[in-house]
Amino acid sequence: MSGIWRRGCTIGALALTLAACGGTEHKESRPVAMAGKQQTPVLPVPHGTGSKAPSDFNGDGAPDLVLDELAHDGLGDDAGIGIVYGKKGHGLVPGSRQLLSPAKYAAPTKGQVPAAFSSEAACDLNRDGFTDLVVSTDPPYDGQGAPPVPLQLLFGSPTGISGKGVKLTIPAQARFGNDWPDQPVCGDFDGDGKDDLVVHASAGRLTFLPGPFTRAGAPRGTARLVQTSGNVPAGPATDLDGDGTDDVLVRAHSGTAASALVLGGAKGPARPGATYPAGTDVDFGRFTTGRGAAVLTSTGLKVYAAQGAAARTVKATGTALDAGDLDGDGRTDLVVSGGTAVHLVRGGTKPVAASAGTGRVVAVADFDGDGRDDVVLQSTAASADDAGGRDKIIVLPGTRSATLLSPRPELTFTSAQFTH
């Protein structure tokens, strides 16, 4: 599950995309070349008035793209986070971009600006119609007692992300042990229509922080600890049992590990749900066989029914799994990456023969608003012209064809643009 995306036609393809997302056939591609020394001028961020679109930081109704790994040769360990803003009914506009550098956007700790600054999750935490960004940092810590909270909140606005980050407040009663409180997952875990956060605690416990949050970074509800069978929460959240509250996946540890669901409810996540065998990644959706979970294992892709009963094994290899409705038929398709090529599985059951390309899957979302999710790939550029810290980012539009994705990129650009 790459990046911070809550995928699908609604605000959470991981809320299973239970309704079909209509749309028309894809319009003519409009490739934007940004290779070599060519630069795209910086354009203003479109002003919005608020929306419920996923990852819409400026609230104009179009999803925006978050890039954590920027090509920034010679600019230090972490140049920051890049955002490419979208235009409703059009798609991503590489010129409408914003660089969230630690120096400008991170809250310092004891006068020290974080060296690390990475996106973790995105949701509307203060319920104002603008998506907010949860980022991880590296505050100084002497190793004694409980470490400081490394998470900060950056708030969206009509002009996109604005203002310095604020440190996430985790009340003492909602912390346990001396692990770093990290691995945030967004979701409406108590069914009140407001986004909450779940954060790693320690020793099989999670911290539940009910939203909405204040502009100072504190939950307005009563935070508490949740006992689970795992230790590492993994997003995006999903309402797998259809009760109107999001459920959160918890893995035994990082890497290849067993996992289990913690089901949401009126008081937040609490009840144990389905368990899944060891795998490198897990994702959820409404597949051809019904809604359930897909687990990427060393022997293939295992698709399970909602209550955990094994449905079938699909031949697919890789280390990362993403989900989205690529052809707009209301069923979830899977994107398997991390191997030599990116492969697709229609409806979670039928592998697509052709590869979608190579590179790291950055996002799966409907950027152009045609009712079909698109796939964004990022790869290191291999040409001599791009030596010195360039990459290639391509947006492949979803299609109703047998290949699920158009072979012709809708956009091609480089993240090196953020540092110029």
Side-chain angles (χ1 to χ4, degrees):
M1 294 178 282
S2 71
I4 62 177
W5 289 89
R6 305 188 67 190
R7 300 172 287 272
C9 309
T10 62
I11 206 163
L14 276 268
L16 296 179
T17 316
L18 295 180
C21 307
T24 58
E25 282 304 315
H26 203 277
K27 47 194 166 292
E28 182 180 355
S29 295
R30 42 182 177 80
V32 176
M34 297 167 66
K37 297 181 179 179
Q38 183 179 352
Q39 301 293 328
T40 295
V42 177
L43 302 174
V45 174
H47 281 230
T49 58
S51 82
K52 294 183 178 181
S55 294
D56 183 10
F57 303 105
N58 59 332
D60 67 344
D64 308 313
L65 175 67
V66 177
L67 297 170
D68 255 310
E69 296 185 13
L70 302 179
H72 60 281
D73 187 53
L75 295 177
D77 293 335
D78 194 338
I81 303 164
I83 298 180
V84 179
Y85 287 90
K87 180 179 179 181
K88 191 171 183 179
H90 176 85
L92 295 172
V93 181
S96 295
R97 59 184 185 265
Q98 182 181 19
L99 175 62
L100 307 178
S101 66
K104 184 175 181 180
Y105 286 91
T109 299
K110 298 180 180 179
Q112 180 175 319
V113 175
F117 203 56
S118 300
S119 66
E120 295 289 347
C123 51
D124 185 4
L125 291 172
N126 61 343
R127 210 188 183 197
D128 63 353
F130 303 94
T131 300
D132 311 308
L133 190 64
V134 185
V135 301
S136 61
T137 66
D138 58 345
Y141 172 53
D142 61 7
Q144 303 299 312
V149 178
L151 302 175
Q152 297 187 13
L153 308 182
L154 295 174
F155 291 101
S157 76
T159 58
I161 296 295
S162 63
K164 278 191 177 290
V166 298
K167 298 175 183 178
L168 177 66
T169 299
I170 301 181
Q173 76 271 14
R175 291 196 63 174
F176 184 86
N178 291 331
D179 287 356
W180 287 89
D182 53 13
Q183 308 293 326
V185 177
C186 287
D188 180 11
F189 301 107
D190 54 12
D192 65 354
K194 307 175 183 67
D195 282 316
D196 315 309
L197 285 177
V198 164
V199 177
H200 164 74
S202 181
R205 290 172 174 82
L206 301 178
T207 295
F208 170 55
L209 302 171
F213 289 71
T214 69
R215 294 284 300 195
R220 286 193 171 96
T222 302
R224 65 180 179 85
L225 287 166
V226 178
Q227 182 72 53
T228 74
S229 59
N231 210 38
V232 182
T238 180
D239 181 10
L240 192 62
D241 58 2
D243 68 347
T245 63
D246 282 337
D247 313 315
V248 62
L249 183 78
V250 180
R251 310 191 76 205
H253 50 77
S254 58
T256 301
S259 57
L261 275 178
V262 181
L263 302 179
K267 296 183 178 180
R271 298 172 292 125
T275 59
Y276 306 106
T280 57
D281 209 349
V282 183
D283 222 318
F284 302 90
R286 183 171 187 171
F287 306 117
T288 302
T289 54
R291 58 184 181 179
V295 182
L296 190 58
T297 73
S298 59
T299 59
L301 187 65
K302 297 184 181 298
V303 181
Y304 291 81
Q307 302 305 317
R312 63 171 62 199
T313 299
V314 180
K315 186 177 181 180
T317 58
T319 58
L321 191 60
D322 291 88
D325 184 1
L326 304 181
D327 57 1
D329 68 351
R331 291 189 291 271
T332 305
D333 309 304
L334 295 170
V335 184
V336 182
S337 59
T340 57
V342 177
H343 290 282
L344 309 176
V345 181
R346 183 188 294 274
T349 59
K350 185 178 180 180
V352 174
S355 166
T358 60
R360 186 173 65 91
V361 177
V362 177
V364 179
D366 183 11
F367 292 105
D368 54 17
D370 66 354
R372 297 184 294 277
D373 285 335
D374 315 308
V375 175
V376 183
L377 300 178
Q378 182 180 28
S379 60
T380 302
S383 71
D385 288 341
D386 288 340
R390 280 190 180 268
D391 60 1
K392 179 186 288 186
I393 299 170
I394 66 171
V395 181
L396 296 172
T399 174
R400 292 194 175 97
S401 70
T403 61
L404 292 179
L405 291 175
S406 170
R408 183 183 181 189
E410 187 173 51
L411 286 175
T412 301
F413 61 99
T414 171
S415 70
Q417 298 280 325
F418 282 94
T419 57
H420 294 281

